[in-house]
Amino acid sequence: MTADPYATAAGLVARSAAAYAASIPEDPADEGFFGPGSVTWRLSTDLSSPVAGLRALLMQALHPLAMAGVDQHSDWRRDPAGRLAATSAYLATISFAERAAAERAAARVRRIHQRVTGVDSVTGRRYDASDPALLLWVHATLVDAGIVTAGLFGTPLSAPDGDRYVAEMVSAAELVGIPRRLVPASRAELTTYLASVQPELRGTPAARESMDYLLDPPGLDADLAEIWQDVRDAALGALPPWAREMYGYPAPPPLTDSRRAGIRQALGVLDTVFLGEPGVLEARQRIALRARAARRT
Amino acid sequence: MRKVLAAVTFGAVIAAVALLYRRLARGGAPRLRLARGRAAVQLAVRGGVRYATNAPRLFAAAGEHRQQLRNDLALETAEDVASTLGAMKGVLMKIGQMASYVDDGLSPAVRRTLSRLQDSVPPMSAELAGQVVETELGRPPEAAFRRWDPEPIAAASIGQVHRAITHDGRAVAVKVQYPGIAEMITADLQNVALLRRMLRITAPSQDVDALLAELRDRVVEELDYQQEAANQSLWAEHYQGHPFIHIPGIVTELSTRRVVTSELADGARFAELASWSQRERDLAAETIYRFTFRSLYEAHAFNGDPHPGNYLFHGGGRVTFLDFGLVKYFTMAELRPLIDMVRHLCVDNDPAGFRASMVAAGFLRADAPVSTDTVVEHMAVFYDTVRRRGPRTITGDYASAVVRRFFDVRSPLAQYVAVPRSYVILQRINLGLFAVLGELTATADWRAIAEEIWPFIQGPPATPMGAAEAVWRASRPGRPGIERLPA
């Protein structure tokens, strides 16, 4: 028997929750880059957000250079839960923390990116994690995933709110070092941009390996695995068919009303588990109180 | 070793509750099949045992905790309710409440998660609660009542309680259900694919649908306040003027499926009894005991929730009984074997007759290859308080022993005993009543009290409380029993 090449996913929920809770400020000096009335806040607390995260990763990994950077530099195999927790903390920080804290977190990420350079073994091309083109792909897929999955499994955004969200998130792109002029600022621009990158995408072995892991993480307890199966189906169902085909994943069951309800149930259970972790309820209450105070003024 | 994540829990909670109900419903589920749901059964067993000693404290603590209502986070719209309690959360909350019978057998992570879920549901804003009242009663609360306190005084399981004064001057408690919650929970319980898959992990698959149907029935039943109001009215009428038992009356014209208005009752909570004298605790216990068995043997009805949160204490043995959401009415044919069992075992000393009555009731298979001595030995613990005259203290240890015996899948009787569906709810005597009395370490001559109540003896008053009760009974000749509600 060979040793399991990966660390188990045990602790994934607990560590993501801890990172999340620690990233929601107690008493912020300002409302950060988005603020209580923003669509960004609304989507960050939407039931669909775990699916959005998974769908974004599935899209991001299809870019061979983005994937190569992760594959050759990240410690995700050794500590997958830690890697996801760090991402979750970063997103919570730029969404909810005061501006100075968001800028500090972004500066740290930019510093790490400077060391992430190399040659992709599949395409033979050089990559550089600070390359705005790569960063933009990661950014745009995240924004796209939020809109798509909220529409399928959460509270759908109206067309104007979708445009607002894309525009709001330009600030997030700038934080990681993408010049504002390069960043889509409306849904139409986002769609055009995503289509323009599509020819460069492919399901490399590294992409498949990492996503296979993510879709079926070893070490998940049986019950969480049941829930994860629905989250995974939801993410696969939210992918464009061409993207799913690049991985060679079979199409998930058709999204009937009852299937959609089932996925929402799974997300509700997952959210309840998350809520059961120390500090998460209080973090959410901090967000809710700020949102409420803003609504009143 | 795989690390167990908190998540597991929900499968385990659901399976534990479902198996508990299943075991109660058909009792002697064959051992092999139960063994396959090993983890869940262990939960149920451990939970049951520890329930007896710890649950009252847990309940009391939960009750206190719920007093800290987060009005600053109040739900303001039906959408707020949906995002807080939709997508299974309402179902998990309900199931969590039902799991209180196995609560302490769950891992700390599960218990924490369930209690956090409970905490995550803030009250409704005054406006939202007012809208529900208006939808239900046809008038805003300020018009439906002379005075209305917009600030809720307590959380109810899927609603909250407001104080008000009616136009004719009565002080009332108005329980208001979260808007849309009943529909959300019902819809979630109809789409059972997820629950079914989660249950398959721990429960034998062929039983899953039956378990889910059982859970669904129970939960949906508790969502309808009208049922509860009708029950409470009947009981209040039955016990009207009783010297020790008080049941708040229902204001029928101000009660609907989602709003129930009852006379406002105040008193000490169960937790406060810890600081009362043992004499007071004994009296309170005697009242609870009389209420339970008088209701069963004379009114042929049983309130299925002997749990500490459902009592208010006033001293001198006077107790207010709350919450009639789960009431079972019996026919004489259903009661007869239970009465026979008590009589054969405790009065006639007739083990063979006892066994025959058990078989007649469906508790024991007729062909069970076990000796009558074994049957008696196994069952005696349930009757321990009433087999002999004289004062006896019900302790937490006794309550634990009862629950342990009830869940004992290894006993020689286990595979031949069952609890027929119509008696399921009565098992809450074994699981709940003794836990309450044990928590009070109550002492009384339970046998003498029982003899007053047993229809085949109807003995003289055994205590001062019994004497006062006899006076009350004499004052109401020919009063009707609590009759089964028309379907």
Side-chain angles (χ1 to χ4, degrees):
Chain A
M1 233 176 83
T2 56
D4 195 330
Y6 309 111
T8 73
L12 190 141
V13 171
R15 292 182 60 184
S16 299
Y20 169 84
S23 308
I24 309 298
E26 292 274 356
D27 190 16
D30 56 55
E31 289 294 10
F33 282 91
F34 303 97
S38 65
V39 184
T40 304
W41 272 40
R42 211 176 101 199
L43 270 195
S44 307
T45 51
D46 192 83
L47 189 64
S48 63
S49 62
V51 185
L54 201 53
R55 197 237 192 217
L57 290 170
L58 281 160
M59 291 293 282
Q60 288 161 0
L62 287 177
H63 197 300
L65 300 188
M67 189 61 233
V70 172
D71 190 48
Q72 296 175 14
H73 292 271
S74 160
D75 59 351
W76 73 268
R77 283 188 191 76
R78 193 179 53 76
D79 184 18
R83 185 72 202 76
L84 283 171
T87 302
S88 145
Y90 176 72
L91 290 175
T93 300
I94 62 157
S95 301
F96 297 107
E98 58 197 34
R99 284 175 179 245
E103 274 161 357
R104 277 196 304 276
R108 199 160 50 239
V109 168
R110 289 198 306 268
R111 243 186 347 266
I112 294 166
H113 280 168
Q114 281 169 10
R115 295 197 299 269
V116 179
T117 59
V119 177
D120 168 32
S121 57
V122 177
T123 58
R125 288 164 62 192
R126 290 201 60 79
Y127 64 83
D128 178 345
S130 302
D131 178 358
L134 289 187
L135 293 169
L136 185 55
W137 174 246
V138 171
H139 169 79
T141 47
L142 180 71
V143 174
D144 182 47
I147 297 173
V148 170
T149 59
L152 288 173
F153 306 109
T155 306
L157 294 182
S158 66
D161 278 352
D163 279 329
R164 254 184 81 198
Y165 176 57
V166 179
E168 282 173 12
M169 286 294 280
V170 173
S171 303
E174 278 191 300
L175 279 170
V176 284
I178 312 170
R180 176 172 272 272
R181 62 186 162 75
L182 297 180
V183 187
S186 70
R187 281 191 316 151
E189 287 177 27
L190 179 66
T191 307
T192 307
Y193 164 76
L194 290 169
S196 75
V197 181
Q198 198 181 321
E200 292 179 48
L201 305 179
R202 63 173 88 176
T204 62
R208 252 186 240 125
E209 181 203 347
S210 57
M211 292 303 119
D212 282 353
Y213 174 91
L214 201 60
L215 294 179
D216 192 10
L220 271 195
D221 183 273
D223 283 9
L224 191 55
E226 285 296 318
I227 299 166
W228 198 254
Q229 192 179 315
D230 285 323
V231 178
R232 175 188 63 199
D233 281 358
L236 289 176
L239 276 184
W242 56 259
R244 203 178 55 240
E245 280 154 19
M246 283 182 180
Y247 283 109
Y249 291 133
L255 201 58
T256 57
D257 282 352
S258 127
R259 183 72 194 122
R260 189 191 308 266
I263 287 169
R264 283 179 53 83
Q265 289 184 339
L267 291 171
V269 175
L270 186 64
D271 194 56
T272 305
V273 171
F274 197 66
L275 201 58
E277 292 298 326
V280 172
L281 176 59
E282 289 75 10
R284 290 203 177 158
Q285 288 174 341
R286 290 199 289 277
I287 294 173
L289 284 174
R290 283 167 69 192
R292 219 151 262 238
R295 222 186 295 166
R296 300 255 149 82
T297 52
Chain B
M1 262 292 280
R2 271 160 144 212
K3 268 220 169 133
V4 176
L5 294 176
V8 193
T9 47
F10 289 108
V13 171
I14 293 160
V17 172
L19 274 169
L20 176 65
Y21 272 105
R22 190 190 182 294
R23 177 149 182 79
L24 291 172
R26 262 156 277 145
R31 284 157 90 187
L32 276 178
R33 286 202 287 158
L34 274 174
R36 281 203 274 143
R38 185 176 44 83
V41 174
Q42 279 171 350
L43 274 176
V45 172
R46 272 190 291 133
V49 171
R50 292 166 66 194
Y51 167 81
T53 48
N54 292 331
R57 272 193 296 278
L58 290 171
F59 279 129
E64 279 157 27
H65 196 64
R66 286 193 314 205
Q67 298 307 311
Q68 307 161 5
L69 299 179
R70 290 295 302 261
N71 288 311
D72 54 342
L73 290 164
L75 305 173
E76 293 175 337
T77 61
E79 290 73 46
D80 287 350
V81 176
S83 62
T84 308
L85 285 162
M88 284 302 279
K89 289 185 189 166
V91 170
L92 290 174
M93 229 174 89
K94 266 332 267 189
I95 289 177
Q97 285 159 8
M98 294 163 83
S100 48
Y101 281 98
V102 290
D103 192 52
D104 214 37
L106 304 173
S107 74
V110 187
R111 263 183 294 135
R112 188 185 65 218
T113 305
L114 288 173
S115 101
R116 301 285 285 177
L117 180 63
Q118 212 93 358
D119 292 347
S120 77
V121 185
M124 284 175 272
S125 68
E127 293 73 26
L128 186 59
Q131 283 165 25
V132 176
V133 171
E134 181 164 2
T135 307
E136 292 295 311
L137 302 182
R139 282 175 296 171
E142 295 76 15
F145 298 91
R146 180 191 293 171
R147 284 189 55 198
W148 170 260
D149 182 353
E151 192 98 337
I153 54 167
S157 75
I158 45 169
Q160 65 197 33
V161 182
H162 289 261
R163 271 182 311 205
I165 294 174
T166 60
H167 286 297
D168 57 7
R170 282 175 287 173
V172 290
V174 185
K175 187 155 80 165
V176 183
Q177 198 172 95
Y178 290 112
I181 177 78
E183 291 77 8
M184 280 187 295
I185 289 180
T186 307
D188 270 337
L189 283 170
Q190 261 147 16
N191 196 11
V192 293
L194 175 71
L195 283 172
R196 195 184 281 135
R197 274 190 289 121
M198 288 171 75
L199 270 171
R200 281 215 178 104
I201 299 161
T202 31
S205 61
Q206 67 269 36
D207 296 333
V208 165
D209 285 342
L211 298 179
L212 287 172
E214 183 89 32
L215 277 179
R216 188 163 54 229
D217 290 354
R218 195 101 317 147
V219 171
V220 169
E221 199 174 288
E222 295 193 24
L223 295 173
D224 184 357
Y225 286 172
Q226 214 150 33
Q227 181 85 31
E228 180 179 340
N231 287 332
Q232 191 168 329
S233 287
L234 288 168
W235 288 65
E237 194 184 330
H238 183 79
Y239 281 105
Q240 197 176 14
H242 193 284
F244 301 97
I245 296 168
H246 177 243
I247 294 164
I250 293 287
V251 185
T252 314
E253 64 275 17
L254 294 171
S255 298
T256 67
R257 285 201 310 158
R258 309 292 176 233
V259 168
V260 58
T261 301
S262 66
E263 173 200 329
L264 188 65
D266 203 8
R269 311 297 301 198
F270 192 82
E272 294 171 51
L273 255 64
S275 63
W276 289 20
S277 71
Q278 187 58 49
R279 173 72 192 141
E280 279 292 343
R281 288 151 57 100
D282 289 347
L283 286 173
E286 183 178 343
T287 303
I288 292 171
Y289 188 89
R290 285 179 181 276
F291 170 76
T292 303
F293 290 103
R294 280 268 183 233
S295 300
L296 180 64
Y297 288 127
E298 285 179 8
H300 304 170
F302 179 72
N303 176 15
D305 230 344
H307 117 32
N310 291 341
Y311 309 117
L312 293 171
F313 300 92
H314 312 281
R318 286 174 301 124
V319 180
T320 294
F321 293 81
L322 307 170
D323 199 335
F324 291 79
L326 193 57
V327 170
K328 167 81 181 167
Y329 301 92
F330 293 93
T331 63
M332 201 51 219
E334 287 168 331
L335 271 183
R336 172 55 55 196
L338 298 180
I339 296 171
D340 288 346
M341 281 165 68
V342 157
R343 187 163 53 85
H344 288 313
L345 188 70
C346 304
V347 180
D348 299 350
N349 196 16
D350 173 9
F354 175 72
R355 180 180 184 149
S357 306
M358 267 188 86
V359 171
F363 286 120
L364 181 66
R365 265 169 49 185
D367 60 352
V370 281
S371 74
T372 297
D373 283 352
T374 306
V375 172
V376 168
E377 193 185 312
H378 176 87
M379 295 296 293
V381 67
F382 300 118
Y383 297 90
D384 205 43
T385 52
V386 292
R387 289 193 80 184
R388 266 167 297 279
R389 284 253 176 111
R392 195 178 179 295
T393 302
I394 299 179
T395 61
D397 285 348
Y398 171 68
S400 295
V402 167
V403 178
R404 206 160 38 235
R405 177 57 56 85
F406 185 81
F407 283 108
D408 184 3
V409 290
R410 279 189 299 273
S411 104
L413 240 59
Q415 54 185 311
Y416 309 111
V417 293
V419 182
R421 209 183 158 102
S422 56
Y423 300 128
V424 166
I425 200 173
L426 277 180
Q427 301 314 314
R428 295 200 185 186
I429 292 181
N430 292 331
L431 297 170
L433 178 68
F434 287 130
V436 168
L437 301 183
E439 180 74 11
L440 295 172
T441 53
T443 303
D445 185 344
W446 307 106
R447 168 63 181 253
I449 297 170
E451 284 190 13
E452 274 186 56
I453 298 171
W454 285 337
F456 48 89
I457 294 187
Q458 302 195 32
T463 68
M465 190 182 285
E469 198 177 47
V471 172
W472 169 74
R473 284 155 57 75
S475 75
R476 318 189 45 181
R479 79 187 187 291
I482 297 172
E483 296 301 331
R484 181 190 287 271
L485 287 171

